[in-house]
Amino acid sequence: MKPLTIVGLLTSILLLAVAFYAEEDLPAFGDENSAVNKAIKLFTIDADANLVAALNAGTLPEEIKNKIYDLGFIKGPTCEGCQNENYPTLEEGNYKIEYIEEGTWLGGRLYTVGGWDVLINNGEIFYDEPQQYYFITESDGKLSVSRYNWPVRVTERTEEETAMINAVTSGLADYRGYDTMGEETVILTGALGVILLMRRRGKL
Amino acid sequence: MTTQKREYKRDVIIEVSTNLLFPLILLFGLYVMIGTGGTGGGFQGGTILASAFILYITVFGHEKGREKMPESVNAFFKSFGLFLYNGAGWICVLFSLATIQWLNMPAFWPVTDFVGVAGSRSFLVGYMVSVGIGLTVMASFVSQYFDLAWKEEEEMGGNEE
């Protein structure tokens, strides 16, 4: 056996071991804390029997609605005749509330905590089916309201999660790191291709 | 400064202004490449750095450009940038630092007590990753320009063996 073969075998075994080691730490598919499924907590209010009863009956109480509006998620179209772009309204009939029990799989996500899912259908211009927008859980006499949305996570949690001031850099190099790795490799491969094609006759 | 014989006429204005602009463009490129907290990033900074070398090669020719950017340095930068980027990723995978989001896990890092998790993460994202991208982009563009310029010089018969 050649020495090179032995070195190659040892390197492969080492890489395999590293891959197994890293695989243990990978978040499971459907983990609620993975990047795609993470819901951003917006605020908490004191739980009230009336609030819980209203949620169970399928209506969003005015207190929660007003707090959501106060955070800047707009109520409706900002001008006459223009369409509401990103934040559907929470008027009656636009949404429906479903209670989801602990431990159910839904939409590629495992719910480790039970709660009320607010699905919005009317007013959402990008999707036909009802979309999950808000998630309300009850614990210790408090109702905490979270929101599923990628832009909300980027704007709210970028500095905390990546320690970068610049959200664009965190998106480029942190959240989508594999994408950037591929781009860089493409550039290097292009340069190598030019070298192989153009340097045939010349000296280095 | 050594004077070389050239087939074309020397243009003093272009050469002097290039000599003046060359370090300034390099400085601006470094500012864009490293200042990822504010301005640019690796791709843009690397392109600006490469533009400085391309200007130099265009004005002073192939051989003087080789003195500024030797082939060995170019090849080293080209692969070292990718190595830096992937190395940052591997560090995060190995220590579960989750900087590059290659893993989405709570941070664990041996020097956490000294550096602080946030500091080390921003250092990795802001400097290692961006400088790695910038070096690869710069060296790749400069190398492509060298190769293309080489062929033209050969066709004109300026560098026959």
Side-chain angles (χ1 to χ4, degrees):
Chain A
M1 212 184 234
K2 288 178 187 172
L4 200 63
T5 318
I6 299 171
V7 170
L9 268 175
L10 284 178
T11 315
S12 322
I13 291 170
L14 181 71
L15 279 178
L16 207 64
V18 165
F20 271 112
Y21 174 74
E23 197 265 343
E24 282 183 359
D25 285 349
L26 278 174
F29 183 72
D31 185 7
E32 66 172 5
N33 283 322
S34 72
V36 183
N37 291 326
K38 204 168 189 178
I40 294 303
K41 194 170 158 192
L42 295 176
F43 56 86
T44 56
I45 57 172
D46 291 331
D48 196 348
N50 294 329
L51 292 184
V52 176
L55 283 172
N56 278 329
T59 55
L60 206 58
E62 283 293 325
E63 304 173 20
I64 295 179
K65 249 191 229 178
N66 289 332
K67 274 223 166 191
I68 289 173
Y69 290 152
D70 286 344
L71 281 172
F73 301 121
I74 52 179
K75 287 181 182 178
T78 46
C79 55
E80 193 69 32
C82 65
Q83 219 165 7
N84 190 1
E85 284 165 0
N86 210 3
Y87 301 113
T89 57
L90 285 172
E91 289 161 13
E92 292 292 332
N94 283 357
Y95 63 89
K96 59 179 178 179
I97 297 181
E98 289 174 359
Y99 186 77
I100 292 167
E101 289 182 1
E102 186 181 339
T104 50
W105 276 86
L106 193 69
R109 175 174 179 241
L110 175 66
Y111 286 80
T112 53
V113 182
W116 293 273
D117 237 349
V118 182
L119 305 168
I120 297 181
N121 192 10
N122 294 328
E124 170 63 64
I125 59 174
F126 296 113
Y127 301 99
D128 290 335
E129 295 177 353
Q131 289 293 310
Q132 300 171 326
Y133 265 82
Y134 298 98
F135 185 60
I136 306 171
T137 54
E138 183 187 11
S139 63
D140 296 338
K142 296 231 173 194
L143 286 176
S144 59
V145 180
S146 316
R147 183 181 160 103
Y148 310 100
N149 204 351
W150 182 246
V152 173
R153 181 174 182 206
V154 168
T155 51
E156 300 273 331
R157 291 294 154 90
T158 289
E159 199 171 352
E160 181 187 322
E161 287 182 353
T162 67
M164 289 301 294
I165 315 164
N166 197 336
V168 178
T169 304
S170 70
L172 177 106
D174 200 315
Y175 291 122
R176 302 191 63 175
Y178 284 115
D179 184 33
T180 314
M181 182 181 77
E183 284 164 10
E184 205 184 346
T185 315
V186 163
I187 288 174
L188 178 70
T189 316
L192 291 181
V194 170
I195 287 173
L196 286 176
L197 282 175
M198 308 295 290
R199 281 195 197 166
R200 280 282 165 80
R201 294 184 295 136
K203 57 189 176 184
L204 274 178
Chain B
M1 194 174 163
T2 58
T3 53
Q4 290 177 333
K5 271 193 177 180
R6 283 185 199 141
E7 294 182 359
Y8 54 88
K9 225 172 137 189
R10 291 184 66 157
D11 195 330
V12 177
I13 295 174
I14 290 179
E15 293 198 352
V16 169
S17 56
T18 303
N19 266 330
L20 280 175
L21 277 175
F22 180 66
L24 293 179
I25 299 176
L26 281 185
L27 191 65
F28 180 61
L30 276 178
Y31 164 67
V32 172
M33 187 170 85
I34 297 177
T36 37
T39 47
F43 289 103
Q44 296 87 352
T47 315
I48 294 171
L49 286 177
S51 77
F53 285 106
I54 286 172
L55 175 70
Y56 196 87
I57 299 161
T58 313
V59 171
F60 288 101
H62 187 272
E63 289 177 9
K64 278 200 77 178
R66 269 290 182 228
E67 291 172 9
K68 282 282 177 198
M69 174 63 91
E71 174 59 31
S72 55
V73 174
N74 199 335
F76 174 74
F77 276 173
K78 214 184 302 174
S79 41
F80 183 68
L82 197 62
F83 181 77
L84 258 186
Y85 188 97
N86 291 351
W90 270 112
I91 284 175
C92 304
V93 168
L94 287 178
F95 296 105
S96 298
L97 186 58
T99 298
I100 319 294
Q101 205 72 22
W102 296 13
L103 287 179
N104 185 20
M105 287 291 288
F108 170 75
W109 177 241
V111 289
T112 298
D113 298 337
F114 308 108
V115 185
V117 178
S120 55
R121 293 181 69 173
S122 80
F123 173 78
L124 280 171
V125 172
Y127 296 100
M128 261 180 98
V129 166
S130 294
V131 169
I133 296 170
L135 286 182
T136 300
V137 169
M138 176 195 73
S140 297
F141 286 178
V142 172
S143 133
Q144 289 179 20
Y145 193 79
F146 265 127
D147 290 342
L148 297 173
W150 177 278
K151 199 186 174 209
E152 200 163 298
E153 215 170 66
E154 237 178 12
E155 279 175 352
M156 283 165 62
N159 195 11
E160 286 198 359
E161 296 179 30

PDB file of all heavy atoms in Angstrom, chain B residues 83-93 99-100 102 124 128-129:
ATOM      1  N   PHE B  83      -9.987  29.419   1.684  1.00  0.00           N
ATOM      2  CA  PHE B  83      -9.596  28.679   2.881  1.00  0.00           C
ATOM      3  C   PHE B  83     -10.044  29.409   4.143  1.00  0.00           C
ATOM      4  O   PHE B  83     -10.531  28.786   5.091  1.00  0.00           O
ATOM      5  CB  PHE B  83      -8.081  28.494   2.871  1.00  0.00           C
ATOM      6  CG  PHE B  83      -7.559  27.725   4.034  1.00  0.00           C
ATOM      7  CD1 PHE B  83      -7.688  26.352   4.090  1.00  0.00           C
ATOM      8  CD2 PHE B  83      -6.933  28.370   5.073  1.00  0.00           C
ATOM      9  CE1 PHE B  83      -7.217  25.652   5.166  1.00  0.00           C
ATOM     10  CE2 PHE B  83      -6.455  27.675   6.144  1.00  0.00           C
ATOM     11  CZ  PHE B  83      -6.599  26.305   6.191  1.00  0.00           C
ATOM     12  N   LEU B  84      -9.890  30.743   4.144  1.00  0.00           N
ATOM     13  CA  LEU B  84     -10.314  31.524   5.306  1.00  0.00           C
ATOM     14  C   LEU B  84     -11.809  31.387   5.538  1.00  0.00           C
ATOM     15  O   LEU B  84     -12.263  31.156   6.662  1.00  0.00           O
ATOM     16  CB  LEU B  84      -9.976  32.999   5.091  1.00  0.00           C
ATOM     17  CG  LEU B  84      -8.763  33.593   5.776  1.00  0.00           C
ATOM     18  CD1 LEU B  84      -8.726  35.078   5.519  1.00  0.00           C
ATOM     19  CD2 LEU B  84      -8.828  33.342   7.256  1.00  0.00           C
ATOM     20  N   TYR B  85     -12.569  31.547   4.459  1.00  0.00           N
ATOM     21  CA  TYR B  85     -14.030  31.489   4.604  1.00  0.00           C
ATOM     22  C   TYR B  85     -14.459  30.122   5.116  1.00  0.00           C
ATOM     23  O   TYR B  85     -15.188  30.010   6.096  1.00  0.00           O
ATOM     24  CB  TYR B  85     -14.685  31.779   3.252  1.00  0.00           C
ATOM     25  CG  TYR B  85     -16.174  31.933   3.348  1.00  0.00           C
ATOM     26  CD1 TYR B  85     -16.731  33.187   3.440  1.00  0.00           C
ATOM     27  CD2 TYR B  85     -17.003  30.833   3.369  1.00  0.00           C
ATOM     28  CE1 TYR B  85     -18.082  33.339   3.548  1.00  0.00           C
ATOM     29  CE2 TYR B  85     -18.356  30.976   3.484  1.00  0.00           C
ATOM     30  CZ  TYR B  85     -18.892  32.227   3.579  1.00  0.00           C
ATOM     31  OH  TYR B  85     -20.226  32.368   3.701  1.00  0.00           O
ATOM     32  N   ASN B  86     -13.971  29.079   4.434  1.00  0.00           N
ATOM     33  CA  ASN B  86     -14.382  27.744   4.860  1.00  0.00           C
ATOM     34  C   ASN B  86     -13.820  27.409   6.236  1.00  0.00           C
ATOM     35  O   ASN B  86     -14.429  26.660   6.994  1.00  0.00           O
ATOM     36  CB  ASN B  86     -13.929  26.704   3.842  1.00  0.00           C
ATOM     37  CG  ASN B  86     -14.696  26.847   2.550  1.00  0.00           C
ATOM     38  OD1 ASN B  86     -15.657  27.596   2.487  1.00  0.00           O
ATOM     39  ND2 ASN B  86     -14.275  26.155   1.527  1.00  0.00           N
ATOM     40  N   GLY B  87     -12.648  27.978   6.555  1.00  0.00           N
ATOM     41  CA  GLY B  87     -12.085  27.731   7.874  1.00  0.00           C
ATOM     42  C   GLY B  87     -12.938  28.337   8.965  1.00  0.00           C
ATOM     43  O   GLY B  87     -13.127  27.725  10.023  1.00  0.00           O
ATOM     44  N   ALA B  88     -13.476  29.537   8.720  1.00  0.00           N
ATOM     45  CA  ALA B  88     -14.393  30.131   9.695  1.00  0.00           C
ATOM     46  C   ALA B  88     -15.601  29.240   9.888  1.00  0.00           C
ATOM     47  O   ALA B  88     -16.057  29.008  11.026  1.00  0.00           O
ATOM     48  CB  ALA B  88     -14.816  31.520   9.226  1.00  0.00           C
ATOM     49  N   GLY B  89     -16.104  28.718   8.775  1.00  0.00           N
ATOM     50  CA  GLY B  89     -17.250  27.813   8.886  1.00  0.00           C
ATOM     51  C   GLY B  89     -16.919  26.560   9.662  1.00  0.00           C
ATOM     52  O   GLY B  89     -17.690  26.116  10.510  1.00  0.00           O
ATOM     53  N   TRP B  90     -15.711  26.021   9.409  1.00  0.00           N
ATOM     54  CA  TRP B  90     -15.337  24.794  10.110  1.00  0.00           C
ATOM     55  C   TRP B  90     -15.140  25.051  11.594  1.00  0.00           C
ATOM     56  O   TRP B  90     -15.470  24.209  12.419  1.00  0.00           O
ATOM     57  CB  TRP B  90     -14.081  24.183   9.492  1.00  0.00           C
ATOM     58  CG  TRP B  90     -14.408  23.229   8.419  1.00  0.00           C
ATOM     59  CD1 TRP B  90     -14.161  23.371   7.094  1.00  0.00           C
ATOM     60  CD2 TRP B  90     -15.076  21.971   8.556  1.00  0.00           C
ATOM     61  NE1 TRP B  90     -14.641  22.299   6.402  1.00  0.00           N
ATOM     62  CE2 TRP B  90     -15.192  21.425   7.269  1.00  0.00           C
ATOM     63  CE3 TRP B  90     -15.583  21.269   9.625  1.00  0.00           C
ATOM     64  CZ2 TRP B  90     -15.802  20.199   7.037  1.00  0.00           C
ATOM     65  CZ3 TRP B  90     -16.193  20.056   9.396  1.00  0.00           C
ATOM     66  CH2 TRP B  90     -16.295  19.532   8.115  1.00  0.00           C
ATOM     67  N   ILE B  91     -14.573  26.223  11.921  1.00  0.00           N
ATOM     68  CA  ILE B  91     -14.432  26.545  13.341  1.00  0.00           C
ATOM     69  C   ILE B  91     -15.795  26.539  14.009  1.00  0.00           C
ATOM     70  O   ILE B  91     -15.984  25.972  15.095  1.00  0.00           O
ATOM     71  CB  ILE B  91     -13.746  27.920  13.503  1.00  0.00           C
ATOM     72  CG1 ILE B  91     -12.256  27.808  13.225  1.00  0.00           C
ATOM     73  CG2 ILE B  91     -13.959  28.464  14.896  1.00  0.00           C
ATOM     74  CD1 ILE B  91     -11.560  29.129  13.241  1.00  0.00           C
ATOM     75  N   CYS B  92     -16.766  27.159  13.324  1.00  0.00           N
ATOM     76  CA  CYS B  92     -18.099  27.225  13.924  1.00  0.00           C
ATOM     77  C   CYS B  92     -18.743  25.870  14.014  1.00  0.00           C
ATOM     78  O   CYS B  92     -19.449  25.565  14.977  1.00  0.00           O
ATOM     79  CB  CYS B  92     -18.978  28.154  13.112  1.00  0.00           C
ATOM     80  SG  CYS B  92     -18.276  29.753  12.963  1.00  0.00           S
ATOM     81  N   VAL B  93     -18.499  25.034  13.006  1.00  0.00           N
ATOM     82  CA  VAL B  93     -19.075  23.689  13.066  1.00  0.00           C
ATOM     83  C   VAL B  93     -18.439  22.907  14.201  1.00  0.00           C
ATOM     84  O   VAL B  93     -19.117  22.231  14.980  1.00  0.00           O
ATOM     85  CB  VAL B  93     -18.892  22.972  11.716  1.00  0.00           C
ATOM     86  CG1 VAL B  93     -19.207  21.514  11.855  1.00  0.00           C
ATOM     87  CG2 VAL B  93     -19.782  23.596  10.673  1.00  0.00           C
ATOM     88  N   THR B  99     -21.774  30.829  14.048  1.00  0.00           N
ATOM     89  CA  THR B  99     -21.614  32.172  13.517  1.00  0.00           C
ATOM     90  C   THR B  99     -22.154  32.276  12.111  1.00  0.00           C
ATOM     91  O   THR B  99     -22.844  33.221  11.759  1.00  0.00           O
ATOM     92  CB  THR B  99     -20.133  32.544  13.506  1.00  0.00           C
ATOM     93  OG1 THR B  99     -19.677  32.540  14.821  1.00  0.00           O
ATOM     94  CG2 THR B  99     -19.935  33.896  12.905  1.00  0.00           C
ATOM     95  N   ILE B 100     -21.829  31.323  11.296  1.00  0.00           N
ATOM     96  CA  ILE B 100     -22.195  31.425   9.893  1.00  0.00           C
ATOM     97  C   ILE B 100     -23.590  30.848   9.685  1.00  0.00           C
ATOM     98  O   ILE B 100     -24.043  30.693   8.591  1.00  0.00           O
ATOM     99  CB  ILE B 100     -21.149  30.685   9.032  1.00  0.00           C
ATOM    100  CG1 ILE B 100     -19.761  30.946   9.558  1.00  0.00           C
ATOM    101  CG2 ILE B 100     -21.164  31.140   7.612  1.00  0.00           C
ATOM    102  CD1 ILE B 100     -19.316  32.344   9.426  1.00  0.00           C
ATOM    103  N   TRP B 102     -24.186  28.025   9.959  1.00  0.00           N
ATOM    104  CA  TRP B 102     -24.020  26.692   9.417  1.00  0.00           C
ATOM    105  C   TRP B 102     -24.606  25.707  10.407  1.00  0.00           C
ATOM    106  O   TRP B 102     -24.932  24.601  10.089  1.00  0.00           O
ATOM    107  CB  TRP B 102     -22.546  26.405   9.136  1.00  0.00           C
ATOM    108  CG  TRP B 102     -21.991  27.297   8.077  1.00  0.00           C
ATOM    109  CD1 TRP B 102     -22.591  28.414   7.601  1.00  0.00           C
ATOM    110  CD2 TRP B 102     -20.808  27.144   7.352  1.00  0.00           C
ATOM    111  NE1 TRP B 102     -21.836  28.972   6.639  1.00  0.00           N
ATOM    112  CE2 TRP B 102     -20.721  28.216   6.461  1.00  0.00           C
ATOM    113  CE3 TRP B 102     -19.792  26.218   7.370  1.00  0.00           C
ATOM    114  CZ2 TRP B 102     -19.664  28.366   5.603  1.00  0.00           C
ATOM    115  CZ3 TRP B 102     -18.744  26.379   6.513  1.00  0.00           C
ATOM    116  CH2 TRP B 102     -18.682  27.443   5.636  1.00  0.00           C
ATOM    117  N   LEU B 124     -15.612  37.100  13.597  1.00  0.00           N
ATOM    118  CA  LEU B 124     -15.582  36.075  12.551  1.00  0.00           C
ATOM    119  C   LEU B 124     -16.381  36.515  11.339  1.00  0.00           C
ATOM    120  O   LEU B 124     -15.921  36.428  10.206  1.00  0.00           O
ATOM    121  CB  LEU B 124     -16.140  34.768  13.103  1.00  0.00           C
ATOM    122  CG  LEU B 124     -15.164  33.962  13.939  1.00  0.00           C
ATOM    123  CD1 LEU B 124     -15.891  32.831  14.599  1.00  0.00           C
ATOM    124  CD2 LEU B 124     -14.079  33.428  13.060  1.00  0.00           C
ATOM    125  N   MET B 128     -13.065  37.791   9.200  1.00  0.00           N
ATOM    126  CA  MET B 128     -12.568  36.580   8.542  1.00  0.00           C
ATOM    127  C   MET B 128     -13.325  36.303   7.256  1.00  0.00           C
ATOM    128  O   MET B 128     -12.740  36.091   6.193  1.00  0.00           O
ATOM    129  CB  MET B 128     -12.711  35.391   9.490  1.00  0.00           C
ATOM    130  CG  MET B 128     -11.442  35.032  10.211  1.00  0.00           C
ATOM    131  SD  MET B 128     -11.684  33.654  11.294  1.00  0.00           S
ATOM    132  CE  MET B 128     -11.070  32.315  10.309  1.00  0.00           C
ATOM    133  N   VAL B 129     -14.639  36.350   7.335  1.00  0.00           N
ATOM    134  CA  VAL B 129     -15.450  36.007   6.172  1.00  0.00           C
ATOM    135  C   VAL B 129     -15.261  37.032   5.061  1.00  0.00           C
ATOM    136  O   VAL B 129     -15.023  36.696   3.905  1.00  0.00           O
ATOM    137  CB  VAL B 129     -16.924  35.908   6.608  1.00  0.00           C
ATOM    138  CG1 VAL B 129     -17.831  35.897   5.418  1.00  0.00           C
ATOM    139  CG2 VAL B 129     -17.138  34.671   7.425  1.00  0.00           C
TER     140      VAL B 129
END
